[in-house]
Structure formats: structure tokens, C-alpha cells
Amino acid sequence: MDHTTVLARYDRDMRERARPDGPGARIERAGAVVRQVADAHGWNGVLWSALDAAGADRAIREQIDHFTALGRDFEWKLYGHDRPADLGARLTAAGFRAEPEETLLVADVDALALDAEPPAGIRLVAADDEAGVDLVVGVHEQAFGTDGTRLRHRLLARLAADPGTVVAAVALAGDEPVSAARMELVPGTPFAGLWGGGTAPAWRGRGIYRALVAHRARVAAARGYRYLQVDASPMSRPILQRLGFHALSTTTPYLYGD
């Protein structure tokens, strides 16, 4: 993989020319900033910027003013190669708080090992209705210890409005949901994003996460997508790199508001 070329394509297709990630969301271009505005259940934030040292602070203040006027907390999704180099420090000085850094990983689907199957006693099922979404959200809450209300709303809205752009799956041990993950397909681009892969603590280390990655990769390949993209935590990064993913940059959520 030519890392520089793929990263430039990612920046162009997924950030600068971003599409709304669900019904009711819209993409706005404000000078050198691309942002998404959604309702209170959706994702609000800055996706891309092309700033310099002279204009960065003014652009940051403009985004704060814009989202504050809408009554929205928001995220500035900062990548390690964004400029100016001190943009993270400027965001912190303006009142943002940084979440843990993740790694932007990308894989060419054709180069991945897609034969990973679930371990004995585990089966993967599609989560394409309300009952399936509830299973996904339940696992998400177990795995990450966070409230899944917003995830539930977004998944149901996406499945209702544009079901061909999201694939969600649950791993069951008998009737017990033990792992879940989703994939967001971006029409008109070669990229599909892997999101929310999480396994209940008691079921980790058995190959379920890897099987869910392979499952989604097979679906992406069947639908003509070339690249898989993941914002990987330190826990998932080694697994994904062993499967054939490459680190292209880092990404850090900078949050503004409660």
C-alpha cells in the first residue's frame, strides 16, 4: 500500500468531501473548515480543516460560536497530520478537552485474510431490525461501559432511511450476545469504516473480534469497496495490524461542551 496516496484519498473522500452520516445531518463548508451538524442524538463536529497559524484561532472561535448558538456540544476530530502542528494545543487553550488518541488504520480488502471464523459455539447474526439493534447496544454498553442511547437512535435511523449503508452484526453464544460490531459504507468512495467492535469482558481473547472483522471485510469486498478504515484503540490496533491493516495517522477527539 502506498501510504501517502491512500491517506490523501482518505482526506479527500472521507473528510473534505464528507457526506452526512445519517438522516437529518448535513455537511457545511465554512471557509477552510468542513463540519457536520445534526440533531441532539447525532454526531456534531469538525471533520476537516485546512488552517494556518494566522487563521487557526479565529476559525476555532467561529466553530465554537456556531455550535454554541445551535445548543450543540461538538467534537473537533483532529488528525496527527493536520496543520498547523500546534492545532491540538490551540483547541485545548480554547476550552476543548482531548479524549484518548487512536490510530487511523487502513487495509486493502484484497490483502486481508478473510477466512477467520467464529470460535466453536459462537454464531454471527445480522442486526438489521430493532431487536438486533438492541442486542448491539447491549453489548456496546457491556464492552465500553457507556450509555448506548445515542447509538441506538443513530442505528435505527440509519437502517430505516438508508439500510444499504450500514451493516451490523452480533456474536451469540447460544442466545447470549457477547460481541457486536458495525460497518458504515460510504457510497461513491472506496472506503468502508469499521466501528464499534466490542466484546464483553468475559469473552475476550477467543477470536470473536477477529471473526467480526473478517465478516465485515467479506461484505465490503462483495459490495465493491477496496479499503477498510478503523479508528483503532490500543487494544484493537495489534489485532488489526496482524490481519493486514496499516497505520496511516493518528486521530484524537477534542470535545467541547458538557
Side-chain angles (χ1 to χ4, degrees):
M1 178 186 293
D2 184 328
H3 291 193
T4 300
T5 299
V6 175
L7 181 59
R9 182 75 184 269
Y10 177 85
D11 281 342
R12 186 192 72 186
D13 290 355
M14 303 294 285
R15 302 180 65 207
E16 186 179 4
R17 299 180 185 176
R19 296 151 180 79
D21 70 358
R26 65 183 183 274
I27 298 297
E28 298 179 344
R29 289 164 175 80
V33 170
V34 174
R35 64 193 178 213
Q36 176 171 291
V37 177
D39 63 20
H41 292 288
W43 186 84
N44 288 271
V46 172
L47 291 155
W48 177 85
S49 64
L51 304 176
D52 57 25
D57 291 336
R58 181 176 67 254
I60 291 168
R61 175 49 54 187
E62 288 172 351
Q63 301 316 306
I64 292 173
D65 292 346
H66 181 77
F67 283 103
T68 299
L70 295 173
R72 298 281 184 269
D73 298 340
F74 74 106
E75 173 185 332
W76 193 301
K77 194 170 177 63
L78 180 68
Y79 288 76
H81 57 287
D82 287 346
R83 294 291 177 266
D86 65 347
L87 185 52
R90 291 171 184 261
L91 291 168
T92 299
F96 289 78
R97 63 187 186 279
E99 292 285 284
E101 181 183 274
E102 296 180 317
T103 304
L104 172 65
L105 298 179
V106 175
D108 190 318
V109 174
D110 290 340
L112 290 176
L114 303 182
D115 56 351
E117 295 296 333
I122 301 295
R123 58 193 173 95
L124 304 184
V125 298
D128 52 12
D129 57 15
E130 186 171 358
V133 168
D134 286 343
L135 293 178
V136 170
V137 171
V139 172
H140 181 90
E141 292 179 334
Q142 287 186 65
F144 301 110
T146 56
D147 187 308
T149 301
R150 292 179 68 182
L151 172 61
R152 184 178 189 276
H153 174 88
R154 292 174 64 186
L155 264 178
L156 288 174
R158 187 86 171 257
L159 286 168
D162 202 354
T165 64
V166 61
V167 174
V170 181
L172 299 176
D175 293 327
E176 179 187 358
V178 298
S179 187
R182 70 186 190 276
M183 176 170 64
E184 298 182 1
L185 306 163
V186 186
T189 81
F191 292 97
L194 304 187
W195 300 96
T199 302
W203 291 87
R204 291 173 184 162
R206 306 190 192 194
I208 303 173
Y209 177 82
R210 175 176 174 151
L212 280 166
V213 172
H215 167 75
R216 288 174 289 168
R218 288 192 293 268
V219 174
R223 299 190 185 183
Y225 286 84
R226 179 173 181 183
Y227 298 113
L228 293 180
Q229 168 262 320
V230 187
D231 292 346
S233 69
M235 181 182 297
S236 60
R237 175 177 173 171
I239 302 170
L240 292 164
Q241 288 185 300
R242 286 195 295 270
L243 291 175
F245 282 78
H246 298 261
L248 300 189
S249 188
T250 60
T251 177
T252 304
Y254 279 79
L255 307 181
Y256 192 91
D258 296 333

